[in-house]
Amino acid sequence: MTTHDRIATLMHEADTYAKQGRYSAAESCWRRVLELEHDYAPALNFLGANALAKGDLATAAHYLDRAILSAPEFAMAHANRSRVYGAQGRADEALEAITRAIAADPASWGAHMERACLLEAAGRRRDAAASWSLGLAYIPATAADSPSLQPLLSQARQAVKDNQEELRTFLQDRMHGALDGCQSHAELERFRHCLDIVTGRREFVTARPLVLPYPRLPAIPFFDTSGSDWVPELEAAFPDILRELQGVLEHPQDFVPYVQTEAGAPKGQFDALDRNLDWSALFLWKNGARIHRNADRCPLTESAVQRTPQNVVNGRAPVVFFSALRPGTHIPPHNGATNTRLTVHLPLVIPSGCGLRVGDEVREWTPGKVVMFDDTIRHEAWNRSDELRVVLIFDVWHPMLSTLERELVASTVEGIMSFYGTGADLGEL
């Protein structure tokens, strides 16, 4: 057996003993490793940590200094050396040592937490908050769920929250009242959102198109409809559209399950809704084809939608339908296929307890008031009432796309369909 093999065997035995709580036996194995290789850093680190646990700080420092000299990038040795310095009351040196541990292993969540504690003890609360934040970012889920760590994690979260609120106050003071009296100004909405993200009140959400991502389009959850000249005309048609909906609702058998997964295809988060009339649709147009039987009964609805900048792609769009959600139904969070279009909702039958979340923003529909959003941002919808909810849904081109870009996008989607075949799973592209 080679020296390398003998060391590997002893390390395995030492690890087994340590897991069993037989630290004396583990220590014996590591000492035998040192007989084979005098400056073997893992052995020196174990012996140093073991001496520290026994309160023998001088011996611990001796072994750990040797480990660091042998392997300067050995993060654990630096972390243990920091603990020795801390036990000796040498706070500055403890902080330096734990900082070296982090430099050697930046993703070590425990080292970030230890550094945060040292910084807080030194009165450096803002620096500590940064370390707490990194520790929370790197901690794995298994550790984050550990009951024994909950007091430490609560301390970390509170420190981060307090620091963010302090930062918010600091930044607002530097603005010298620039935000005062502007509570209703739309021009400041994005800045306030930015300030909320920077100070931890909101998450930064972005679009994640599943099939066709189009660059340099802003990820806006809900679009301001006041800039779309077609919206007032569509909203003015609300009474006519509602009347036509009430006519088709008299024939519920014409509604079909919205989710209809092909046999053998993965169902994912929509499994509970697959071929389920809890979420149903009556299509006027589907995959670019007019559904004559349905559209003929809703001429005013069809006419109103046709006066909007509809998304048009041969074999794929327009898609226009009444979306019905039964009581207690939840559409789980999901992302759409491409950000080259926006989804339009004209709310028709809206009982209380119905809502839509896009990113971190939640809206309740108001009958007759258009809602327009980017469905490539993670979104979900629900009906928590005991009545049916119905919304008219269709897509329009993203307003930032030029006429030429729309033509090129349509050609690209048609090309993707041709390349993969009409049976390919391209989502709702």
Side-chain angles (χ1 to χ4, degrees):
M1 181 181 294
T2 66
T3 299
H4 176 79
D5 291 338
R6 292 170 64 190
I7 289 175
T9 299
L10 287 168
M11 287 176 62
H12 176 73
E13 291 178 3
D15 184 59
T16 300
Y17 288 137
K19 289 178 179 178
Q20 295 172 347
R22 300 170 62 187
Y23 296 108
S24 295
E27 179 179 353
S28 177
C29 289
W30 282 117
R31 291 190 181 281
R32 288 163 62 192
V33 169
L34 287 183
E35 292 174 2
L36 296 171
E37 187 171 330
H38 180 68
D39 289 320
Y40 194 68
L44 294 167
N45 176 68
F46 177 89
L47 294 173
N50 197 42
L52 173 61
K54 296 176 180 178
D56 186 351
L57 303 184
T59 300
H62 167 74
Y63 280 119
L64 293 170
D65 286 342
R66 284 177 57 189
I68 292 169
L69 184 64
S70 174
E73 302 302 315
F74 190 11
M76 185 57 71
H78 286 293
N80 282 323
R81 191 65 178 92
S82 173
R83 293 162 193 149
V84 173
Y85 282 130
Q88 294 172 329
R90 299 159 67 178
D92 290 344
E93 290 162 291
L95 182 58
E96 290 176 8
I98 202 65
T99 301
R100 285 193 291 270
I102 292 170
D105 183 7
S108 175
W109 67 271
H112 285 293
M113 297 284 191
E114 290 189 56
R115 186 172 188 270
C117 290
L118 290 168
L119 287 167
E120 280 202 351
R124 296 168 57 181
R125 292 177 52 252
R126 292 179 182 175
D127 291 333
S131 288
W132 285 124
S133 182
L134 288 168
L136 291 170
Y138 287 123
I139 190 170
T142 51
D145 292 337
S146 171
S148 64
L149 288 176
Q150 295 315 302
L152 178 66
L153 297 181
S154 294
Q155 178 184 356
R157 295 185 186 106
Q158 188 63 50
V160 170
K161 181 180 179 182
D162 291 345
N163 185 69
Q164 288 172 329
E165 288 301 314
E166 186 178 326
L167 172 63
R168 187 182 188 87
T169 300
F170 178 82
L171 293 174
Q172 288 177 325
D173 288 345
R174 285 176 60 88
M175 293 171 196
H176 305 295
L179 298 180
D180 295 345
C182 299
Q183 297 303 314
S184 62
H185 288 193
E187 63 180 324
L188 292 179
E189 180 182 355
R190 284 190 298 176
F191 176 76
R192 289 197 181 92
H193 194 159
C194 169
L195 189 62
D196 285 345
I197 294 170
V198 169
T199 57
R201 292 192 177 186
R202 295 176 68 174
E203 295 292 326
F204 180 72
V205 299
T206 189
R208 296 193 180 280
L210 298 178
V211 180
L212 182 64
Y214 204 87
R216 305 188 186 185
L217 294 180
I220 301 172
F222 289 97
F223 273 66
D224 181 1
T225 60
S226 65
S228 301
D229 56 8
W230 52 269
V231 168
E233 188 175 1
L234 179 64
E235 292 181 342
F238 166 70
D240 294 330
I241 296 172
L242 179 60
R243 188 162 47 250
E244 291 184 338
L245 167 67
Q246 290 168 341
V248 299
L249 284 175
E250 294 177 2
H251 305 277
Q253 70 277 8
D254 293 336
F255 281 75
V256 298
Y258 182 79
V259 180
Q260 298 191 43
T261 307
E262 292 185 8
K267 298 177 182 180
Q269 73 268 46
F270 294 112
D271 188 15
L273 294 171
D274 189 35
R275 304 183 185 280
N276 186 335
L277 285 169
D278 284 347
W279 182 17
S280 63
L282 185 136
F283 289 92
L284 307 186
W285 284 73
K286 185 175 183 180
N287 293 336
R290 188 175 189 267
I291 311 301
H292 300 297
R293 185 176 184 277
N294 296 333
D296 286 347
R297 289 184 286 166
C298 304
L300 298 177
T301 301
E302 184 179 33
S303 176
V305 173
Q306 286 177 341
R307 292 192 291 274
T308 71
Q310 277 186 282
N311 183 244
V312 178
V313 179
N314 288 332
R316 207 67 180 180
V319 176
V320 183
F321 63 101
F322 293 114
S323 172
L325 215 59
R326 285 178 173 172
T329 303
H330 173 230
I331 301 173
H334 60 287
N335 298 74
T338 176
N339 58 335
T340 59
R341 67 185 184 199
L342 299 178
T343 298
V344 177
H345 284 188
L346 179 66
L348 299 170
V349 179
I350 309 296
S352 61
C354 296
L356 170 70
R357 179 186 68 81
V358 182
D360 68 342
E361 299 182 26
V362 176
R363 298 277 178 92
E364 293 184 356
W365 293 281
T366 300
K369 295 299 180 182
V370 167
V371 173
M372 185 163 57
F373 63 97
D374 181 347
D375 81 339
T376 64
I377 297 173
R378 199 158 182 80
H379 61 287
E380 62 182 320
W382 55 87
N383 178 1
R384 295 172 183 154
S385 77
D386 56 3
E387 302 174 55
L388 187 71
R389 181 233 69 175
V390 187
V391 174
L392 175 68
I393 300 180
F394 60 92
D395 295 327
V396 295
W397 287 108
H398 194 292
M400 288 183 63
L401 293 184
S402 67
T403 300
L404 175 59
E405 285 179 303
R406 295 177 184 183
E407 294 173 357
L408 293 171
V409 167
S411 178
T412 299
V413 173
E414 293 163 12
I416 291 173
M417 292 170 59
S418 177
F419 183 84
Y420 288 106
T422 57
D425 181 12
L426 301 178
E428 296 177 11
L429 186 61

